[in-house]
Amino acid sequence: MLRQALMGAAAIAAFALPATAETVAVTHARILTAGPAGEIAQGTLVLRDGKIVAAGANVAVPAGARVIDAAGGVVTPGFFATDSVLGAQEVGSLGSDLRVSNPALGAAMDVQYGLNPASTLIPVARLGGLTSAIVMPHASGGGGEADEGDEMTSGGVPDADPSHALFAGQAAVVTLGQGPDILAKAKVAMVVPFGQAGAKIAGGARGAEFVAFKAALQDVRDYARNKAGYDKGESRALSLSKADLEALIPVVQGRMPIIAEVHRAADILAVLKLAKDENLKVILNGAEEGWMVAADIAKAGVPVLVYPLSDRSVSFEQLGSTLDNAGRLAAAGVVVAIESDDGGHRARETRYDAGNAVSHGMAYAAALAAVTINPAKIFGVADRTGSIEPGKDADVVIWTGDPFEPLSQASAIFVRGVQQPMTSRQLELRDRYKDLNRALPPAYSH
Amino acid sequence: MRVWRTAAAILAVAAIGGCATTGSPAKPAPSAQASKDKAAPPKPLAKGLDPAASANPFPSTYKPLPSQPTAIVGASAFTGTGELVENATVLIKDGKVEQVTAGLAAPAGYVTVDAHGKWVTPGLIDAHSHLGVYASPEVWANSDGNELTDPVTPQVWAEHSVWPQDPQFDTARIGGVTTILVLPGSGNLIGGRGVVLRNVPSRTVQGMKFPDAPYVLKMACGENPKRVYGSKGRAPSTRMGNVAGYRAAWINAADYQRRWEDYRAKIGRGEKADPPKRDLALDTLVGVLKGEILVENHCYRADEMAQMIDISKEFGYHITAFHHAVEAYKIADLLAANGTCVATWANWWGGKMEMYDGIEANAALVDAAKGGCAIIKSDDPDLIQRLNQEAAEALAAGRAAGLTISEAQAIKWITANPAKALGISAQAGSLEPGKRADVVIWDHDPFSIYARTERVYVDGAIAYDRHDTRYQPRSDFDLGQPGEGVR
């Protein structure tokens, strides 16, 4: 019944895109708002003109609304793929639009210019309930030991081309709906590898990176104070290109956060101190040993991006990794966002990662926040998305059950109010080969 | 030591006699011919020169951990035979499964484990792992899984690279994995022998070796070998180069096999004969041709799998399983007809061109083919901790494709079916009487994301208990480290 209703709805949406003008009411839903309304055990959600109009137990279905009976299913805000490559990578081994090894350009690198809305990864991710992504640059050659391991089982070689740039570039928020423009917000943060990866870039030692980093910030401040002098050649020699200096002005002014990729407890404390000394806004990424210094992170008011399944001693800077990390950080009061393993092909695992965090001590509501409102807040888009609240974008997913469970499936997905087709290149392949006894070769089925 | 030497000598004599254990087709010679040349009895070959005499030079020393007769009472038990027994009593004695029966009271003399409200499965079997050969931490010094100095290296054995202190064995055990096939990497056309391990802490790899499990041979199709060797400016640099490489290797193996058979036939007739020089690489390949060593073939694309099957027919061996095989769904009928299992993932795709067409329903579509054998495996030290979740994702994708698949069927993808692909079905993979009592107790349905193992039995012994620190082994490496290995 529900299935038929949804399939019908999907068919209508497919013919009528964009359908932003319509009013949709989702009824008989358990609504997990990730917002101030918390959980609505049984309620109705109304979407109109791409926005959420109302959500609650006693919300009336507006006249003329298209009704989707969720029939006891669960409704959530669309999830975030944090630390993602969506829209910037198609086939892993063919590279991405996220990595540069250009000595003259690091901080200025801006992922917004490389986004590909036609990537086949986006529908696959979307079917996993993801409606937004934080696309982040990657430090070139800065992967540390972990990358080497992954590569070596397939006979690959570690990336031997370290960037000369301490700054990997600027992240963007993207929206994962169909359409020609997926950029939601550019220049949301600046990626900076610390720990082993940062040390490698700086010439081999953590001590070098911190000194070089501080010197670079000083250069930016000097440049910002006297751009005219710089342009006339009256400045002392600066360590960064003009483009990089410009890109870093919002960082030294505390308007743009840095995403500090850091793992070891001691390195986390060092980054927190650096941020304090330099008046930087900082987001920690990785932080496998974060639980050991959770109180310090919470006290600094610094949010953390965590892959909750990191529990192995992958390198000497994450010997203390544990599956309890996300839960312990959240319990200590840290704002946590959950990220997936690769952020691209497997980004759809984000909901399972959240479920695993729950089974290892994270409160369910905290895990839900970690894939919705928290990344929205951390990256400055909480005014538009990340929770089910009137006035926000209608980024909403209807699930057959608990969204963290593999046996639950998304049954309808709205991005900015537009109901998305429940298809992907993968499902087209599946359906082409489901029946191998057709008269004509599979190539004729599409 | 003395006992071993004697045994080896007996084997050597038996082998020289052209005994059936060598699989030699040599016919007994006419007695007249034999008596004519029978001047001096042939000397046994020097130790180490006769492959038949040293078929098992690194024997298992595995001994089960201490166990007691145990009754696990009240759980919902997936038996690995396609059934779910509610309110099951699982009886374990002498390390073996005695019976699984609904509602049976625990007999006297058995330790009773109250498992009401919990779930039980056979110990999980990972058909594709590199634990120990790519140990953690993932540093160069621990990278011992790919002998990338030649594309054909059947002479290398993964067990000689396994570091038993790899802490990843411990995290895999927490995930319910009791048996692991450790394979060489996939950089070579023929990468070497894999080894089946019991997932128990041990000072030596011999102490982990699964008794009487067959050896396996790792082969690899596609991008990896041609990339690795093409980039070195040598063959193979193309897929056609790959195929030429496999075929040349099998020709060498068949020739070597013939030379030993000729030699044994002559000796059997009492004639003088010079033995072929033993070749470790060809010993392994001949083991495959004789059906004693199973072929585990890394191969992603459907068209390449079809070609590998033709190669196996050309030289007379069988491919036990294709691994990764993300396009298996395109030829599920062909694979089922060939009796070849498919060890794959649900979620992994797109890392390279040959993975681009991977779909979540791959395992389910393989399973749905008549006679199909689907396996969910890890190839990954993280995923090995959650094989049940990957199976759940594959199951959900199958159902979304319109297939009717029970959980009791899907549990076989990580238990009975990998046991088949490892050649250990008679011993493991299901909770049937007489099999090794590898048993996992889960706190939720194992197809739930919230399921965690409560206790893991290997051969009827508690190898891990989530609530009892006495049964939470830690590797040497984790001692004294941050976090103390608390995962």
Side-chain angles (χ1 to χ4, degrees):
Chain A
M1 175 68 176
L2 169 69
R3 195 183 177 82
Q4 276 179 341
L6 292 173
M7 283 168 68
I12 291 163
F15 285 111
L17 283 174
T20 48
E22 73 172 339
T23 300
V24 175
V26 182
T27 60
H28 303 110
R30 184 174 154 234
I31 305 171
L32 309 179
T33 66
E39 177 183 340
I40 299 161
Q42 165 96 258
T44 297
L45 169 71
V46 179
L47 317 175
R48 185 185 298 132
D49 298 339
K51 301 286 181 189
I52 295 165
V53 177
N58 301 309
V59 168
V61 175
R66 178 162 69 90
V67 176
I68 298 176
D69 185 348
V74 177
V75 173
T76 66
F79 295 164
F80 275 70
T82 299
D83 196 351
S84 178
V85 304
L86 290 170
Q89 184 183 68
E90 191 64 23
V91 174
S93 63
L94 303 184
S96 71
D97 253 312
L98 298 172
R99 198 184 291 266
V100 293
S101 55
N102 176 349
L105 200 144
M109 189 282 202
D110 190 336
V111 301
Q112 69 168 312
Y113 301 114
L115 298 173
N116 173 21
S119 167
T120 64
L121 280 72
I122 291 175
V124 171
R126 194 165 57 220
L127 290 173
L130 298 162
T131 60
S132 300
I134 314 299
V135 181
M136 288 167 40
H138 294 167
S140 185
E145 293 160 1
D147 281 359
E148 295 180 12
D150 280 352
E151 286 296 309
M152 281 182 182
T153 56
S154 62
V157 288
D159 188 345
D161 182 28
S163 161
H164 300 281
L166 297 171
F167 304 90
Q170 299 166 70
V173 182
V174 307
T175 178
L176 299 176
Q178 275 191 316
D181 184 9
I182 58 173
L183 179 67
K185 189 171 184 181
K187 297 179 178 294
V188 294
M190 176 75 65
V191 172
V192 189
F194 281 94
Q196 209 162 287
K200 193 168 159 187
I201 290 166
R206 286 167 170 79
E209 189 196 9
F210 274 68
V211 172
F213 183 84
K214 284 169 174 249
L217 295 189
Q218 191 53 52
D219 284 359
V220 176
R221 292 191 184 100
D222 288 353
Y223 166 78
R225 260 195 301 272
N226 186 14
K227 286 189 190 183
Y230 177 92
D231 287 342
K232 279 187 264 173
E234 291 166 0
S235 160
R236 66 180 170 85
L238 301 181
S239 60
L240 300 167
S241 67
K242 183 174 166 71
D244 279 358
L245 290 165
E246 277 291 337
L248 285 164
I249 289 174
V251 170
V252 298
Q253 292 177 345
R255 289 184 285 119
M256 179 191 284
I258 63 165
I259 299 170
E261 296 181 345
V262 61
H263 312 283
R264 196 163 77 185
D267 291 340
I268 292 170
L269 293 179
V271 166
L272 293 180
K273 182 170 187 308
L274 179 70
K276 195 176 170 201
D277 292 349
E278 300 284 341
N279 284 315
L280 304 178
K281 259 178 92 174
V282 63
I283 299 161
L284 302 180
N285 188 15
E288 287 81 0
E289 292 190 353
W291 62 278
M292 295 171 154
V293 292
D296 300 88
I297 300 170
K299 197 173 150 205
V302 166
V304 179
L305 319 179
V306 171
Y307 175 50
L309 303 187
S310 288
D311 69 340
R312 295 179 300 109
S313 43
V314 171
S315 74
F316 276 85
E317 57 182 356
Q318 42 185 295
L319 297 178
S321 302
T322 165
L323 296 170
D324 295 342
N325 191 33
R328 291 198 197 196
L329 285 167
V334 176
V335 174
V336 173
I338 284 175
E339 57 192 23
S340 69
D341 191 31
D342 77 346
H345 299 91
R346 290 170 55 207
R348 62 185 168 195
E349 294 176 3
T350 301
R351 62 191 181 106
Y352 313 135
D353 299 334
N356 277 294
V358 171
S359 75
H360 287 83
M362 196 174 203
Y364 190 98
L368 181 70
V371 293
T372 55
I373 190 64
N374 287 0
K377 283 180 181 163
I378 293 167
F379 294 99
V381 291
D383 58 326
R384 285 200 65 169
T385 187
S387 62
I388 294 180
E389 291 180 60
K392 284 200 181 184
D393 286 348
D395 293 344
V396 169
V397 181
I398 307 175
W399 303 88
T400 58
D402 180 347
F404 297 163
E405 286 280 19
L407 298 186
S408 302
Q409 300 284 302
S411 56
I413 299 163
F414 291 84
V415 180
R416 295 184 170 176
V418 179
Q419 190 164 0
Q420 304 292 310
M422 303 301 280
T423 58
S424 68
R425 182 173 176 275
Q426 289 195 356
L427 294 184
E428 289 184 45
L429 280 165
R430 179 196 74 184
D431 292 341
R432 166 176 275 192
Y433 286 96
K434 217 160 55 172
D435 177 6
L436 296 172
N437 296 312
R438 292 189 175 104
L440 288 171
Y444 292 92
S445 304
H446 52 82
Chain B
M1 189 48 121
R2 188 180 171 74
V3 175
W4 160 241
R5 204 176 282 144
T6 308
I10 290 166
L11 269 173
V13 170
I16 289 162
C19 133
T21 55
T22 63
S24 162
K27 287 181 193 144
S31 55
Q33 178 72 21
S35 56
K36 202 171 90 184
D37 294 341
K38 212 202 265 175
K43 274 196 301 182
L45 283 179
K47 198 167 163 55
L49 286 185
D50 185 344
S54 64
N56 188 20
F58 306 93
S60 170
T61 59
Y62 168 74
K63 289 213 169 39
L65 300 167
S67 68
Q68 294 174 283
T70 302
I72 302 167
V73 179
S76 304
F78 290 110
T79 57
T81 59
E83 281 161 279
L84 170 64
V85 180
E86 297 289 358
N87 190 29
T89 298
V90 180
L91 293 187
I92 299 171
K93 196 176 182 186
D94 300 329
K96 300 285 193 289
V97 176
E98 234 179 355
Q99 57 171 305
V100 181
T101 307
L104 187 72
Y110 283 66
V111 176
T112 303
V113 179
D114 181 3
H116 285 91
K118 301 184 195 297
W119 278 259
V120 161
T121 66
L124 307 190
I125 299 175
D126 190 359
H128 191 124
S129 171
H130 302 293
L131 296 197
V133 301
Y134 285 106
S136 173
E138 294 171 354
V139 294
W140 171 85
N142 287 343
S143 172
D144 280 320
N146 260 319
E147 184 55 48
L148 298 180
T149 50
D150 192 272
V152 178
T153 57
Q155 71 274 22
V156 304
W157 298 19
E159 67 198 77
H160 300 140
S161 281
V162 170
W163 182 39
Q165 296 295 342
D166 182 356
Q168 299 172 136
F169 286 117
D170 295 331
T171 41
R173 193 180 310 111
I174 293 170
V177 174
T178 56
T179 302
I180 302 173
L181 175 57
V182 176
L183 292 165
S186 51
N188 286 349
L189 299 172
I190 298 180
R193 290 197 196 196
V195 63
V196 182
L197 300 179
R198 308 254 69 202
N199 192 8
V200 291
S202 171
R203 292 176 295 164
T204 64
V205 72
Q206 292 93 326
M208 302 173 77
K209 284 179 74 174
F210 196 114
D212 304 324
Y215 274 107
V216 308
L217 177 67
K218 173 74 177 287
M219 296 181 65
C221 302
E223 292 185 30
N224 291 354
K226 76 170 194 135
R227 184 188 70 245
V228 169
Y229 291 95
S231 70
K232 295 179 199 274
R234 55 180 291 199
S237 67
T238 59
R239 283 183 164 84
M240 56 189 174
N242 287 355
V243 170
Y246 312 124
R247 297 177 77 202
W250 293 120
I251 290 167
N252 286 338
D255 183 59
Y256 178 72
Q257 184 178 23
R258 180 191 58 77
R259 281 186 279 133
W260 272 101
E261 284 168 0
D262 284 354
Y263 164 75
R264 293 192 203 289
K266 282 184 181 161
I267 294 293
R269 292 192 297 266
E271 295 171 21
K272 260 182 90 174
D274 205 21
K277 184 180 174 190
R278 186 178 178 199
D279 183 312
L280 291 176
L282 298 174
D283 280 353
T284 295
L285 297 184
V286 169
V288 171
L289 296 178
K290 288 177 173 175
E292 296 164 357
I293 295 177
L294 311 180
V295 171
E296 311 290 343
N297 200 153
H298 158 122
C299 208
Y300 286 95
R301 262 174 31 188
D303 53 311
E304 284 185 282
M305 288 188 265
Q307 286 176 328
M308 294 310 289
I309 289 173
D310 278 353
I311 294 168
S312 74
K313 288 177 177 165
E314 182 183 14
F315 293 98
Y317 65 94
H318 182 247
I319 300 167
T320 300
F322 282 117
H323 289 244
H324 311 328
V326 299
E327 291 190 6
Y329 66 97
K330 298 185 182 180
I331 51 164
D333 49 353
L334 177 62
L335 296 169
N338 199 54
T340 296
C341 292
V342 171
T344 189
W345 306 278
N347 255 325
W348 292 41
W349 70 288
K352 42 188 171 174
M353 276 308 295
E354 61 192 1
M355 297 176 77
Y356 195 49
D357 286 2
I359 66 170
E360 278 180 298
N362 191 37
L365 291 172
V366 166
D367 185 74
K370 193 168 185 290
C373 168
I375 295 165
I376 294 291
K377 51 83 192 185
S378 79
D379 188 24
D380 180 73
D382 286 324
L383 185 52
I384 194 173
Q385 303 174 43
R386 285 171 289 276
L387 284 172
N388 58 310
Q389 294 179 11
E390 193 79 2
E393 291 152 31
L395 168 62
R399 289 175 174 170
L403 298 169
T404 303
I405 311 166
S406 68
E407 294 184 9
Q409 171 70 8
I411 204 77
K412 289 162 71 176
W413 301 346
I414 50 177
T415 56
N417 291 1
K420 185 178 166 192
L422 272 53
I424 54 170
S425 283
Q427 297 197 60
S430 65
L431 301 180
E432 291 176 283
K435 289 205 180 175
R436 291 175 178 274
D438 300 340
V439 182
V440 183
I441 303 177
W442 305 82
D443 61 358
H444 288 75
D445 182 333
F447 292 93
S448 166
I449 203 79
Y450 306 114
R452 289 178 63 180
T453 60
E454 297 251 311
R455 185 178 274 188
V456 179
Y457 293 89
V458 179
D459 282 317
I462 304 170
Y464 167 74
D465 186 306
R466 182 172 148 200
H467 304 293
D468 188 341
T469 52
R470 290 177 303 167
Y471 299 105
Q472 295 172 358
R474 289 176 195 167
S475 84
D476 291 351
F477 180 79
D478 274 340
L479 279 188
Q481 300 283 14
E484 287 267 321
V486 177
R487 302 293 178 208

